[in-house]
Amino acid sequence: MRIVVLAGGVGGAKFLLGVKRFLGRPAFGPADAEADGHQITAVVNTADDIRLHNLQICPDLDSCLYTLSGVSDLQRGWGRADETWTVSGELAGYDAEAPWFSLGDKDIATHLVRTRMLDAGYRLSDVTDALGRRWRPGVTLLPMTDDRVETHVVVEDPDSADDPRPLVALHFQEWWIRYQAKLPALSITPIGADESTPAPGVLDAVAGADLVLIAPSNPVVSVGPILAVPGIREALTSTPAPVVGVSPIIGTAPVRGHADRCLEAVGVPVTAEGVGRHYGARGDGGLLDAYLIADGDRATVPGVTVASRPLLMTDPDRTAAMVAACAEVAGRG
């Protein structure tokens, strides 16, 4: 079976563990694709990427890489297990840039290798493949694009005493981490997306898929930038594979993170139905053929088959049951 997943953030990484288990693979670590015949491809958001301390940091790609390889910190939810923070502490002592963005010592090694390869002229997709050969995540990880795309959030300047306050654009990471998304977002835009092109392999993977899944990642800042890369949305609307989305909202709140603040910024109700209608039906110019929501929630999305199941990704086996439900509702079970 060939499954393509649009993913971003910790939620996307945890969902991919369930995809592996659904296909009978170990949740953590490598898989013998030649033996089982399955192919899992994750198209991963890169609009969260940021350059700090002259290091290229790719949070979503690294979350997928570390989680799938079994080396992530499962309690904290991001970064490496058994991490130390000596370098970040020293940087803070120098009052270096962005003290609100902590880099673990082990994690820095990944960023150093990535930055050196990028500066030598390698594409991000080449670098991601090289990192994957070390960590062997058991999934083909593809950045959405090799081009530079950064999500910027327009807010009222929190440091200004003027009335009204002038508007400033913050990098998504500063808005998300430094300010915990508490500054009301006036707009959220993946800068550069409209001039980017899909990374090698992305369009072919979607065209050749048996099933396409939209992970329960943030619809605005994780899935949204992927869809903003010219050609990807068109590939999704034309693929012969069914496209199934999974709601990141249970009740009226996101399972993790600040997706509610992002949805409010683009005028989407913070409900499973709101997200489903935001994606829309493929038959009506949207994306979805089917949509999975949490037990107890209700959603009507015209033109989309809606099913409900438990959606808390408490462990890979329960997440695999979610993936199985996606396949079932899509007629691929």
Side-chain angles (χ1 to χ4, degrees):
M1 195 172 189
R2 295 164 297 181
I3 298 179
V4 172
V5 183
L6 273 58
V10 176
K14 292 177 68 175
F15 186 73
L16 285 165
L17 292 174
V19 176
K20 292 173 70 177
R21 289 297 300 128
F22 166 69
L23 293 177
R25 294 180 173 179
F28 302 100
D32 189 346
E34 291 186 3
D36 66 25
H38 300 307
Q39 178 64 49
I40 306 170
T41 303
V43 180
V44 182
N45 169 49
T46 59
D48 292 4
D49 295 5
I50 189 170
R51 192 95 171 190
L52 292 175
H53 314 298
N54 203 32
L55 297 175
Q56 188 65 23
I57 302 164
C58 300
D60 285 7
L61 280 169
D62 289 344
S63 287
C64 291
L65 193 69
Y66 295 154
T67 299
L68 294 168
S69 304
V71 300
S72 65
D73 188 319
L74 296 179
Q75 290 187 332
R76 190 172 59 240
W78 55 272
R80 295 280 301 278
D82 303 317
E83 185 62 278
T84 55
W85 308 90
T86 302
V87 174
S88 281
E90 290 297 309
L91 288 169
Y94 285 113
D95 196 25
E97 66 173 333
W100 41 266
F101 197 103
S102 296
L103 295 173
D105 298 329
K106 294 179 182 178
D107 196 29
I108 287 173
T110 299
H111 307 321
L112 283 167
V113 171
R114 176 187 292 118
T115 304
R116 183 175 182 179
M117 291 186 70
L118 290 172
D119 290 350
Y122 289 94
R123 301 172 300 183
L124 180 59
S125 52
D126 298 324
V127 177
T128 303
D129 180 65
L131 295 174
R133 286 199 294 273
R134 178 195 176 184
W135 292 112
R136 302 177 69 197
V139 167
T140 299
L141 297 177
L142 300 178
M144 66 186 195
T145 181
D146 285 330
D147 300 312
R148 181 180 177 182
V149 178
E150 290 185 358
T151 295
H152 289 186
V153 182
V154 174
V155 299
E156 293 183 350
D157 187 351
D159 297 322
S160 173
D162 295 342
D163 187 17
R165 292 178 175 177
L167 302 183
V168 295
L170 303 178
H171 190 286
F172 166 77
Q173 295 292 352
E174 184 172 10
W175 180 70
W176 189 263
I177 296 176
R178 180 182 182 183
Y179 294 106
Q180 294 293 295
K182 293 179 180 178
L183 301 177
L186 303 179
S187 67
I188 300 176
T189 307
I191 302 297
D194 57 347
E195 299 177 352
S196 67
T197 58
V202 169
L203 299 185
D204 288 342
V206 173
D210 298 308
L211 178 64
V212 177
L213 303 175
I214 300 178
S217 301
N218 190 309
V220 180
V221 297
S222 291
V223 178
I226 300 174
L227 300 176
V229 177
I232 294 183
R233 178 182 287 271
E234 292 78 5
L236 290 167
T237 58
S238 61
T239 179
V243 179
V244 184
V246 181
S247 173
I249 304 296
I250 297 179
T252 57
V255 177
R256 180 185 176 89
H258 314 298
D260 50 344
R261 306 289 177 86
C262 299
L263 290 168
E264 290 166 357
V266 298
V268 174
V270 186
T271 62
E273 180 170 295
V275 172
R277 288 176 177 259
H278 173 66
Y279 288 141
R282 259 215 296 184
D284 194 30
L287 297 173
L288 302 179
D289 298 302
Y291 185 48
L292 202 65
I293 66 174
D295 277 344
D297 281 352
R298 296 182 178 180
T300 299
V301 183
V304 176
T305 301
V306 178
S308 60
R309 296 289 192 280
L311 291 191
L312 288 177
M313 297 187 290
T314 52
D315 60 62
D317 286 333
R318 292 190 180 186
T319 308
M322 291 168 50
V323 178
C326 291
E328 178 184 352
V329 73
R332 295 292 191 269

